[in-house]
Amino acid sequence: MRWRSFMALGDSFTEGLDDPADDGGFRGWADRLAELLAAVQPGLTYANLAVRGKVMNDIVTEQLPIALAERPDLVTLCAGGNDLIVPGCDIDALAGRFEDMVARLTESGADVVVFNGPDPKHMPLMRTVRGKVALYNSHLWSIAGRYGATAIDLWGMRVLGDSRAWADDRLHFTPEGHRRIALRVATALGVPTGQEWNAPWPEQAPLDWFRSRRKDLDWMRTYMLPWARRQLTGRSMGDGVTAKRPSLAPIEVESREHGLA
């Protein structure tokens, strides 16, 4: 394998919400991917600069300079999701800033992995911006093609259409969702895993109408209303949160199937 260092840039998706870690923080697909990479590349160093709530400008000004200074061999980049949910977002300008990051990272010698957004069709809060996500995804596909970046098609990952892939807040992934995304990225990079990211989910009985509506009400009270209050007051869930792995450092591979089981 040609990568000896790996750095992840982004927001809550890359930080790893809601995949709890043993230390009380979050693990996520990027940590899981780093473990897979380290299993075939001993001595791999890894940094994760992602912080929940970060918008494009935060990632450009706070995270990109670190990546350019440390010059990792492999960089994953996911940015723009928090911008899209803001009314009046200029998607073309957003894509332009994303492209500038990809251009600068590739010029630094890094192999770059980018992600399009998952299909929000079944997510009550996000489905209102489904058209914006689709348009932004089109930009991301074009950008990846222009710079030779590896594009991970979250929209096309049908296994993410299962409710078991999504945490209770319906915005972040469960541990199993993160596990499958890590496997998907590893497969795209040609890293052996011995596992299938698109393995069918076990059968489960559907929720009846009453229980489904009860869950909707619980979600509205627990997650939707606090999110709306943060938007109105200009606060972010990432206020006061710092990156969990702010610089490149060796990573230990866990024994449980490289930490993926």
Side-chain angles (χ1 to χ4, degrees), residues 23-254:
D23 62 3
F26 294 100
R27 192 175 174 203
W29 66 265
D31 286 15
R32 293 168 180 269
L33 175 64
E35 292 166 9
L36 281 170
L37 295 172
V40 296
Q41 180 60 71
L44 176 87
T45 57
Y46 165 55
N48 189 323
L49 309 183
V51 174
R52 69 201 74 170
K54 293 299 183 181
V55 295
M56 180 70 74
N57 188 63
D58 298 326
I59 296 168
V60 170
T61 59
E62 299 170 10
Q63 300 179 23
L64 178 63
I66 298 173
L68 295 176
E70 296 204 19
R71 302 177 69 88
D73 300 325
L74 176 68
V75 175
T76 59
L77 175 62
C78 187
N82 290 319
D83 300 81
L84 287 176
I85 61 178
V86 177
C89 170
D90 186 334
I91 298 176
D92 295 333
L94 191 68
R97 299 201 74 184
F98 189 94
E99 179 166 6
D100 181 66
M101 281 200 290
V102 174
R104 296 176 68 184
L105 288 167
T106 54
E107 287 171 4
S108 75
D111 288 336
V112 180
V113 178
V114 302
F115 300 78
N116 68 8
D119 188 351
K121 180 179 180 180
H122 302 292
M123 292 180 281
L125 175 61
M126 293 295 292
R127 66 185 173 205
T128 59
V129 297
R130 191 184 187 211
K132 294 167 67 175
V133 174
L135 178 57
Y136 188 52
N137 282 354
S138 297
H139 278 293
L140 299 182
W141 277 113
S142 298
I143 292 167
R146 283 195 289 274
Y147 294 92
T150 299
I152 305 300
D153 182 17
L154 297 181
W155 185 289
M157 283 184 66
R158 294 188 176 182
V159 292
L160 299 183
D162 192 289
S163 62
R164 287 168 286 184
W166 295 90
D168 290 341
D169 65 4
R170 303 181 183 180
L171 288 175
H172 301 106
F173 291 100
T174 59
E176 179 62 14
H178 279 285
R179 186 185 77 88
R180 288 172 181 265
I181 292 168
L183 292 173
R184 177 69 183 88
V185 181
T187 299
L189 294 175
V191 177
T193 66
Q195 303 172 72
E196 296 293 334
W197 63 265
N198 57 353
W201 291 86
E203 293 291 334
Q204 71 170 359
L207 289 177
D208 59 43
W209 184 91
F210 179 81
R211 291 177 61 198
S212 181
R213 299 294 76 75
R214 177 64 180 270
K215 290 192 68 173
D216 289 342
L217 290 173
D218 289 343
W219 170 82
M220 179 74 72
R221 180 174 58 253
T222 305
Y223 300 105
M224 176 60 182
L225 294 179
W227 176 87
R229 283 194 291 268
R230 287 196 300 270
Q231 295 299 305
L232 290 172
T233 58
R235 293 182 294 114
S236 167
M237 65 186 303
D239 291 345
V241 179
T242 58
K244 61 183 179 180
R245 294 182 65 94
S247 60
L248 292 170
I251 181 170
E252 294 183 5
V253 180
E254 297 185 16

